[in-house]
Amino acid sequence: MKLILALLLLSLPAVSDAAIPLKATPDKGAVTFLAVGRPSMLKIHGKATGAEGKFTAEASQLKGSAEFEIAKLDTGINLRNEHMKDKYLLVKEHPKAKLTLTDAPLDATFATTLSNAGEKPFKGKLELKGKEQEVDGTFTAKDGLVKANFEIKLTKFGIELPSYLGITVAENVAVAVELPLQKE
Amino acid sequence: MVFLLAFLFSAPAHAFPEMVRHHYVNCNSCHASPNGGGLLTEYGRGMASEVLSTWNYENESLFLHGAIKPEKIPKAVNVGGDIRVLQVHREDRSVREGRFILMQSQVEAGVTVGPVMAVAAFGKPNRENQIEPEFTRFYLLANATETLQFRAGRILPPFGLNVAQHTVPTRQALGFGYDSERNTLEAHWNGEEWHGAFSASQSRLQSRIGENERAASFQLERFFNDSHRVGLSTWSGESDRQKRWLGSLHGIFGFTKHLYLLSEVVLQSKKMKTPRAEREEGIYHFGRFGYEITKGVHLLALEEFSKSNLKATKTQFVSFGAGALWYPRPHFELELTLNQRKNLQTSREFEDYAYLTLHYYL
């Protein structure tokens, strides 16, 4: 009997290490950013519906990537949207941004709860305007809803600092991604 | 006389603090003045088309509707100006009267040299609706850093909410209404989450204030969620006639892109020197709800209250109203409000008022 129990216990890590396929659909979740216009500290909030992605939870890591259609972003002012998409992000040539996770630790219980305890750091690669750069930030996961926050430097992606009628956008832009993950 | 007092002292400044609902947390995105109002920045003119107005064509919001090509105006020069007129109608059981008032008629220009900008506004309507050749305000503004500004000149010091409706109790009744610009030295700190301002000022006997008040003010505002702005202000002033202290709590709340509230409550504690009298405490309040039903068209709900002496019921003033505000095209602003007002100093009954304001800026 003891031998059977021992064998069962030994087999548990193998079960939890099994890859769990997860998906995120664009109709749920959200991608938002906050940029600051200087010198008057004007806040520019951009928002859009979510990203589409495929992930796996395996070996205590969340792996995979999500893609996002930049044309969906809305800053609340039409002219500003036009400038952002056509002049600075060149959406026609580079319609999507892609975030690939390289290090996103998961709790051992994630496989059953789709939740992590507290906030954890993550690392990834972001492809934007045809350039890929490493990014790092923090993320939380609760009941399958993953919320990630990170900051990007516009010039690192070859994006000229947007400027309009005396207001210039600061180089660092805060990005927040909400991905509701579902088991496939 | 009350009728005249109520409206002659109404007037200028066209600050739009409700723009905070579009995340414009500091006034100097759109105005040269860190307090808001007056000369528009290039960006402010752009937003008049993009955010404020129902219709527009390309470059319409520029000076003189773009009739002068921007490249023909030196980059360092900024020119503007305002014409604002008011038609008031008042009615109660015994009186029915109307009055046309030229509230504002001025040209304003600014010249920037390095980090310093010099601004002056010229032209002042008198009680006969004629324009007197007089400077209404002028100042030197120095940008010490991206966030720190100093200003010196004849201006309204920072205190409470600088709204265009100068007849509200928190402005006019406390000496911040029409023609109350003072000789002022002020400092502003415009941060991402905070705005702070300090001023030292002296009013002029020749102004509508009619006394020489030396005052210091301090203001601190915090931005929440980039759509709400809540602030505290204090004012300590002394003239030959009286000594007073003011404390203000104000808020600008952008609940959604369409729904907003401007509100302020001020407490005043004053002691007359001549003739000597007991200390008086008073309260002053205004609230203005707005809902933008379609771009440039706003429905308004207004309320005002004041009691200049909390111990004397007859010093109470109450006003309720509703109205509409329309920015049809850049340069134009129309506002119609219907109000019921009761001033216990003059009557125990409500009186009906209608105000139609037309504002055109160059």
Side-chain angles (χ1 to χ4, degrees), chain B residues 26-27 30 65-66 120 132 150 181 242 244-245 267 274 282 308 316 344:
Chain B
N26 286 310
C27 305
C30 298
H65 302 250
E132 291 178 4
F150 295 98
E181 281 82 3
Q242 65 174 13
R244 66 172 180 158
W245 175 86
L267 296 173
T274 52
S308 57
Q316 186 173 305
L344 288 180

Side-chain angles (χ1 to χ4, degrees), chain B residues 205-276:
Chain B
L205 278 170
Q206 304 93 318
S207 72
R208 294 269 164 89
I209 297 169
E211 61 179 306
N212 230 323
E213 185 187 38
R214 295 163 300 282
S217 75
F218 176 71
Q219 185 175 58
L220 189 64
E221 294 178 298
R222 173 84 160 90
F223 315 137
F224 294 97
N225 203 24
D226 297 335
S227 304
H228 310 296
R229 180 170 162 163
V230 178
L232 285 165
S233 304
T234 64
W235 178 280
S236 176
E238 184 171 2
S239 68
D240 298 336
R241 198 169 61 92
Q242 65 174 13
K243 201 171 177 179
R244 66 172 180 158
W245 175 86
L246 305 174
S248 157
L249 176 64
H250 68 261
I252 312 163
F253 304 95
F255 300 115
T256 68
K257 290 270 185 222
H258 301 281
L259 182 67
Y260 57 88
L261 167 67
L262 278 65
S263 186
E264 182 176 13
V265 61
V266 182
L267 296 173
Q268 177 176 249
S269 174
K270 70 175 181 183
K271 191 167 172 61
M272 300 300 287
K273 288 179 171 177
T274 52
R276 282 194 172 276

